[in-house]
Amino acid sequence: MNPVNYLYLAALLFTIGATGVLIRRNAIVLFMCVELMLNACNLAFVAFSRMHGNLDGQIIAFFTMVVAAAEVVVGLAIIVSLFRSRHSASVDDASLMKL
Amino acid sequence: MENLIALLVAAPLLGAAVLLCGGRRLDRVGHLLGTLLSAASFVIGVLLFTDMLGKSADDRTFTQHLFSWIPVEGFQADVSFQLDQLSMTFVLLISGVGTLIHIYSIGYMEHDERRRRFFGYLNLFLAAMLLLVLADNYLLLYVGWEGVGLASYLLIGFWQHKPSAATAAKKAFLVNRVGDMGLSIAIMLMFTTFGTFAFAPVLKAAEEHQGGGATLTGIALMLLLAACGKSAQVPLQSWLGDAMEGPTPVSALIHAATMVTAGVYLIVRSGAVFNASPDAQLVVVIVGSVTLLFGAIVGCAKDDIKKALAGSTMSQIGYMVLAAGLGPIGYVFAIMHLVTHGFFKAGLFLGAGSVMHGMNDEVDMRKYGALRKYMPVTFVTFGLGYLAIIGFPGLSGFFSKDKIIEAAFAKGGTEGWILGSVALLGAAITAYYMTRVMIMTFFGEKRWQPDAEGHEPHPHESPKSMTIPMIVLAFGSVFAGGFFSIGDRFLHWLEPVTEHSHGNAPISATTVTAATMVVLVIGVVLAYLQYGRRPVPVAAPRGSLLTRAARRDLLQDDFNHVVLVRGGEHLTRSLVYVDHTLVDGVVNGTAASVGGLSGRLRKLQNGYARSYAVSMFGGAALIVAATLLMRAV
């Protein structure tokens, strides 16, 4: 199969994720959309790796997964404590960091 | 022998250090120590003088290199001394008259509890003044120049509990500062033009007209500005009258005999620079002749005996500056008049001090009168000084002033006639005001009255320590001029340093002398008619417009106030206005616009995570678009 098709899929997934981040309010959904974007990138990396015939992209994909896992740990902890204090998972409620 | 030169300066400097740092335990011997060290300087000066006389005229320049002061690549400032005939003349005058005045001050300051400090300052002055005349470069001269300015300030304000004395000291210091600026600019110009500021190379370069006429004129004019400040010449003359607030020995030593003549020394020493610039010389003679008349007119109207003498000092230094501006025709006579003036003016001031000493410090001549019976020694010595200054035939002033008048005529052309006439007119006014001082003080009826506390003054002769210096100075006033003039001794002595030319006199020397005698008699007779024939009113009459102006020093302070003080105030006010509107406007405007802009930008930071995400995506999209665009191009 033509690896370019994987790139189209990655772009599609990234767009869906980005749109989700911009329009959804629920922190969990937001989080999932971020994951979607990360995985879209991973897909693109792997596809490029295949296209160019070397392993660089695949190795970077592993790094991305590690970073994503770490991010999930920290992010979920923040969302849980936010929910505990505000009884809401809406990101618009947590808007006190402004002048 | 040459190694003694540094001791000339070191002796009084040591005295100043010991007396000023020694504290009260020296109170009882301070005056003796100061006098002794001053006398030591004089003795060393005499030793060097006899040594110098033993050498041939070309071999009489002694030098002593002490140490390198600022040795930098391309900039060599040395502390080294040069003793030639010109410096020698000054050394003897300064240390000689200085020692006499130290002796006089022992008596005069006897009842002052700060006498030790006074002698410390006097020694400091001597050290600085000797440094000034012994330096072999302009930078070291500048050190001495500032030193005498400092000593003058300290001594004018010696009785600083009197507000008038404190103000006078500040005034003298400030006005002198203007002149000092001139000297420092002159030194900088010399350094940039010639690459050095030692006398010998600078004067040699000036003789060869290096650096162009305009630069040389600039250096000469800056030197003249310095001379005007130190020597109280128009337009920087206003401090000298007020400087009389200091103790009288100070007025005699610093503000009559030595320091105020430093300007003349500077001009004569820098003769080659002035010779190379006729324009600057013209300015010098104009300054000299204007001051000559200015001081004389002021001297005519003052009732304060010291201020009358101060006007006279200004006028006599005007003569010297005039002579110095004539170039090689006049240099020798400027210095000769300087020396004779040193004798008779110091004598006159000491006489005035003696009168004040006997009259409860009264200075108003309208309250003197008939003192010749009470103070015979003062009367005779003052009288001899008086005859010397008006140029009575045979006395010092006759020889030196006559020579200056001759030299002024010998300048040639219309300029010569004008300068000669001004000098003659000055001689007439000198005779007038000095006769006035003489008559009001020593002749007529006694006019003194009890002072505010009811103390009747008891005029009495001053103690020996005061009269002996006066007698010595009177001898100088009588014989110095004749001694110098017989066989043109002084001329031959100074000629190797200053050069001399005779000029072309349009009228013979005899005619000039006769004319001088005529104006002298006119001046004396006028003063006699006005003050000798009629009783002198105790309260000053209102007087003519000129008299009233002259009493106010010909409005010099008013002029300074209107032009400089008011002008300065207007200038600062307009500068403050510009600062407030323009400078502050730009600064505040920038700050306000940055503040406003950041206020707008702040709105972007609204706390919504998703809005941040939009700006991130927008930014990323922009970067991608820009990259693609750049690739396409």
Side-chain angles (χ1 to χ4, degrees), chain B residues 313-631:
Chain B
T313 303
M314 210 185 273
S315 163
Q316 298 301 313
I317 298 172
Y319 269 108
M320 298 170 209
V321 171
L322 168 61
L326 296 172
I329 313 174
Y331 289 141
V332 174
F333 303 130
I335 299 299
M336 185 160 132
H337 193 53
L338 192 156
V339 175
T340 56
H341 174 258
F343 282 118
F344 57 68
K345 186 51 68 63
L348 287 169
F349 264 109
L350 295 190
S354 172
V355 169
M356 287 162 59
H357 197 69
M359 294 289 288
N360 291 350
D361 285 333
E362 177 62 62
V363 289
D364 190 348
M365 291 189 291
R366 292 186 183 278
K367 295 181 183 155
Y368 289 168
L371 289 175
R372 68 181 186 282
K373 294 173 209 148
Y374 300 89
M375 302 179 170
V377 180
T378 308
F379 168 63
V380 171
T381 53
F382 196 95
L384 290 173
Y386 155 75
L387 291 176
I389 192 174
I390 62 171
F392 192 80
L395 274 68
S396 291
F398 168 75
F399 292 105
S400 52
K401 197 187 289 178
D402 207 45
K403 288 286 186 196
I404 291 181
I405 299 174
E406 272 173 39
F409 277 115
K411 177 78 176 168
T414 328
E415 203 185 327
W417 281 103
I418 295 174
L419 294 175
S421 316
V422 167
L424 270 181
L425 180 61
I429 308 179
T430 308
Y432 173 80
Y433 68 72
M434 283 314 298
T435 310
R436 173 176 177 271
V437 168
M438 197 67 197
I439 293 176
M440 283 174 88
T441 308
F442 291 105
F443 292 94
E445 293 302 307
K446 62 175 190 174
R447 293 184 300 274
W448 60 78
Q449 299 153 335
D451 61 11
E453 289 147 18
H455 297 301
E456 179 89 27
H458 298 287
H460 53 82
E461 192 49 84
S462 300
K464 283 250 161 39
S465 64
M466 288 170 69
T467 50
I468 288 172
M470 284 153 59
I471 294 168
V472 175
L473 286 171
F475 266 99
S477 317
V478 175
F479 297 116
F483 178 75
F484 290 159
S485 294
I486 295 168
D488 283 335
R489 235 179 241 164
F490 199 73
L491 182 63
H492 296 310
W493 161 251
L494 269 189
E495 207 176 358
V497 184
T498 58
E499 300 175 16
H500 183 70
S501 70
H502 284 287
N504 43 346
I507 45 178
S508 72
T510 330
T511 321
V512 172
T513 312
T516 316
M517 284 307 111
V518 171
V519 297
L520 169 74
V521 171
I522 293 174
V524 172
V525 168
L526 272 180
Y528 176 71
L529 289 179
Q530 201 172 351
Y531 294 96
R533 295 277 296 277
R534 282 175 276 164
V536 180
V538 175
R542 191 167 140 77
S544 65
L545 203 62
L546 181 64
T547 313
R548 271 178 281 152
R551 271 189 204 136
R552 301 185 56 141
D553 300 305
L554 289 181
L555 307 180
Q556 60 186 12
D557 288 334
D558 306 77
F559 175 82
N560 286 350
H561 188 74
V562 170
V563 175
L564 300 177
V565 178
R566 292 273 180 75
E569 280 173 356
H570 283 301
L571 183 67
T572 46
R573 243 182 257 138
S574 44
L575 284 179
V576 165
Y577 177 75
V578 169
D579 184 47
H580 276 170
T581 50
L582 196 71
V583 179
D584 285 7
V586 169
V587 173
N588 291 342
T590 312
S593 51
V594 169
L597 195 65
S598 52
R600 302 262 156 71
L601 283 174
R602 197 178 61 180
K603 298 239 163 68
L604 289 176
Q605 214 161 43
N606 50 16
Y608 294 112
R610 295 186 304 142
S611 116
Y612 300 156
V614 170
S615 48
M616 253 170 73
F617 284 128
L622 270 181
I623 289 169
V624 170
T627 315
L628 287 179
L629 202 65
M630 292 312 290
R631 280 218 172 159

